[in-house]
Amino acid sequence: MDKQVKDKKTAIMDVALKLFTERGFHGTSTAQISKEAGVATGTLFNYFPTKEDLINSLYFEVKGRLSACIKEGLDSEAPFEGRMKRLWSNFISCGVNKPEEFHFIGQFSSSPYITKITREEAMKEYEFIRALVEEGFRNGEIGNYSMELAMMILYQSSRAVVSLILDTGHLQDTDEIIEEGFEILWRGLAKN
Amino acid sequence: MDKQVKDKKTAIMDVALKLFTERGFHGTSTAQISKEAGVATGTLFNYFPTKEDLINSLYFEVKGRLSACIKEGLDSEAPFEGRMKRLWSNFISCGVNKPEEFHFIGQFSSSPYITKITREEAMKEYEFIRALVEEGFRNGEIGNYSMELAMMILYQSSRAVVSLILDTGHLQDTDEIIEEGFEILWRGLAKN
DNA sequence: TTTTAAAAATTGACTAATCAGTCATTGGTG
DNA sequence: CACCAATGACTGATTAGTCAATTTTTAAAA
């Protein structure tokens, strides 16, 4: 795949990410995407046989990008609380730094399009989060709560914080909000 | 407005709620709605001049229904923690008992289809939640966190718990999950 | 280096289906 | 009869996707 090809494909995916995030899947036509990407309508369908293929390709690409960002520096030998805090902090700063990706994933995973199977498949990318929380349970670092409940509260709270920062424009207060948010979360989840 | 009229209008809104939740705004055509509601396409446009009007009316209606459900029994003279727990418990049981309404609001509250006016109007319905949290701050029941942060974590955590119960079919464990969830939330937010 | 021709990439006019919304007509009720 | 809610065939616009024609790239031959 040479540079020209990669350029067009990348342009299509970049524009698709932007427009899907702004207007939703049904609200964005393939014509709009190809026009804004500066290619002909036919070109889009060379790379992505159907609109659904485009959405799925984009999903895996974006999911991978976020997943890689969140994983950074998580393999340390630090104490459990420190790694949880790193996960929390990564989650939020990745969301804040990649707002389109963040919104896209949020929209995609709660979309009525997505079958249970696809959603479960997507969850595998975040398996390491489950592993970390499970470790916390085994070692008694996290209180005696339902595993799924703790996971959901961790995940959705971090999403809530990203939305708070992005929607209200508190970009300069990010570090402080991360600290405060983790304090709330950790006091809630930790044993004693 | 006689019974006949109310019946048709209600039928349209009921079907619209169901289909919008299943397939999204753009994914649901006015033709599909009128067909499933058992009325002609023209009838839909008698009651709702445009699709956008239908969506906004429905949004307002559904938001009101959920709001009324969540408010139940909240005006008591109970201690602060008890009222917070009641709010939490109401939020979750309303979501679980009205899954279509819950998903509708969640999926579409950030949609461009909903006008700013409708959104601001609908936000007033939840003003009492803000008032309760504010009271907690003033009286030192809630720790010294950012108001918006506490609100967001409360709101999104409760949404997370509803999703957990609905998506995993833990319907019979609802009461237990509400208890556990509140323990996590309250330990996180409360002062000390 | 230049020529050349096959292969690959790109194009946009085109199609059938579907969209939101219209309106002259119909049918039921008081 | 008068009234008006209800109807569904209809419209112009838009949709995802096609494809024959054109341009660009490649690489080997002259």
Side-chain angles (χ1 to χ4, degrees):
Chain A
M1 204 178 261
D2 62 21
K3 205 205 293 188
Q4 178 84 330
V5 164
K6 210 171 147 193
D7 279 356
K8 303 238 181 211
K9 195 174 178 182
T10 305
I12 290 166
M13 291 183 89
D14 286 351
V15 169
L17 173 60
K18 186 185 130 209
L19 294 186
F20 283 149
T21 310
E22 275 173 22
R23 314 174 195 183
F25 297 133
H26 275 113
T28 306
S29 69
T30 54
Q32 288 173 317
I33 295 169
S34 39
K35 189 182 175 186
E36 190 142 333
V39 303
T41 63
T43 305
L44 188 151
F45 288 100
N46 276 343
Y47 296 112
F48 310 98
T50 67
K51 190 182 182 182
E52 203 181 308
D53 282 320
L54 170 59
I55 293 171
N56 283 329
S57 299
L58 195 56
Y59 175 74
F60 282 111
E61 164 71 23
V62 166
K63 192 89 181 184
R65 249 183 257 168
L66 276 184
S67 175
C69 180
I70 292 168
K71 270 180 180 156
E72 261 174 41
L74 262 188
D75 52 353
S76 77
E77 297 289 322
F80 183 76
E81 184 183 340
R83 277 178 292 146
M84 276 293 282
K85 186 167 183 179
R86 177 72 191 231
L87 173 63
W88 171 262
S89 171
N90 276 8
F91 219 121
I92 290 160
S93 55
C94 292
V96 170
N97 291 328
K98 300 184 196 305
E100 278 175 347
E101 282 84 348
F102 171 80
H103 280 126
F104 180 83
I105 292 299
Q107 187 187 339
F108 193 95
S109 30
S110 74
S111 164
Y113 278 75
I114 311 312
T115 64
K116 252 176 208 164
I117 292 163
T118 310
R119 193 173 287 117
E120 281 162 11
E121 191 66 28
M123 266 301 141
K124 285 182 188 165
E125 287 273 3
Y126 289 163
E127 193 51 47
F128 65 97
I129 298 178
R130 173 174 293 271
L132 186 62
V133 174
E134 234 155 25
E135 183 195 324
F137 272 107
R138 272 201 314 279
N139 300 353
E141 311 260 12
I142 292 180
N144 191 27
Y145 306 115
S146 140
M147 178 71 195
E148 279 109 359
L149 181 64
M151 289 277 300
M152 281 295 254
I153 287 182
L154 166 64
Y155 180 73
Q156 293 298 342
S157 292
S158 70
R159 289 197 63 83
V161 171
V162 175
S163 292
L164 176 70
I165 294 169
L166 290 178
D167 295 350
T168 60
H170 281 98
L171 286 166
Q172 71 285 6
D173 306 325
T174 297
D175 290 345
E176 196 184 327
I177 295 175
I178 288 177
E179 291 291 325
E180 263 190 40
F182 185 73
E183 198 182 322
I184 295 174
L185 184 85
W186 185 248
R187 284 178 49 161
L189 287 181
K191 189 152 245 169
N192 303 327
Chain B
M1 205 178 263
D2 63 20
K3 207 206 287 188
Q4 178 82 330
V5 163
K6 211 173 148 194
D7 279 355
K8 302 240 180 210
K9 196 173 176 182
T10 305
I12 290 167
M13 292 183 88
D14 286 351
V15 169
L17 173 59
K18 188 185 130 210
L19 295 186
F20 283 149
T21 310
E22 277 173 21
R23 314 174 196 184
F25 287 147
H26 291 280
T28 306
S29 69
T30 53
Q32 288 173 318
I33 295 169
S34 40
K35 189 182 174 187
E36 190 141 335
V39 303
T41 63
T43 305
L44 188 152
F45 289 99
N46 275 345
Y47 296 113
F48 309 98
T50 66
K51 189 182 183 181
E52 201 180 311
D53 283 319
L54 168 60
I55 292 169
N56 279 286
S57 298
L58 194 55
Y59 182 76
F60 197 74
E61 163 70 25
V62 165
K63 196 96 180 181
R65 247 183 258 169
L66 277 183
S67 170
C69 181
I70 292 168
K71 268 179 182 160
E72 262 173 40
L74 263 188
D75 52 352
S76 76
E77 297 289 322
F80 183 75
E81 183 184 340
R83 276 178 293 146
M84 276 293 282
K85 186 168 183 179
R86 178 71 191 229
L87 173 63
W88 172 262
S89 170
N90 277 8
F91 220 124
I92 291 160
S93 55
C94 293
V96 170
N97 292 328
K98 300 184 196 305
E100 277 174 348
E101 281 84 349
F102 172 80
H103 281 127
F104 181 84
I105 294 298
Q107 274 172 224
F108 303 130
S109 58
S110 68
S111 162
Y113 253 115
I114 288 162
T115 65
K116 246 177 218 160
I117 291 166
T118 303
R119 186 175 291 114
E120 280 163 12
E121 201 64 30
M123 265 303 141
K124 288 180 190 163
E125 298 271 8
Y126 288 164
E127 195 50 47
F128 66 96
I129 298 179
R130 173 173 293 272
L132 185 62
V133 174
E134 234 155 27
E135 182 195 325
F137 272 107
R138 273 201 314 278
N139 299 354
E141 311 261 11
I142 292 180
N144 192 27
Y145 306 115
S146 140
M147 177 71 195
E148 279 109 358
L149 181 64
M151 289 277 300
M152 283 294 255
I153 287 182
L154 166 64
Y155 180 73
Q156 293 297 342
S157 292
S158 69
R159 291 197 61 83
V161 171
V162 175
S163 292
L164 176 69
I165 294 169
L166 290 178
D167 295 350
T168 59
H170 282 95
L171 287 167
Q172 71 284 8
D173 307 325
T174 297
D175 289 346
E176 196 184 327
I177 295 175
I178 288 177
E179 291 291 325
E180 264 190 38
F182 186 73
E183 198 182 323
I184 295 174
L185 183 86
W186 185 249
R187 285 178 48 160
L189 288 181
K191 190 152 241 168
N192 306 325

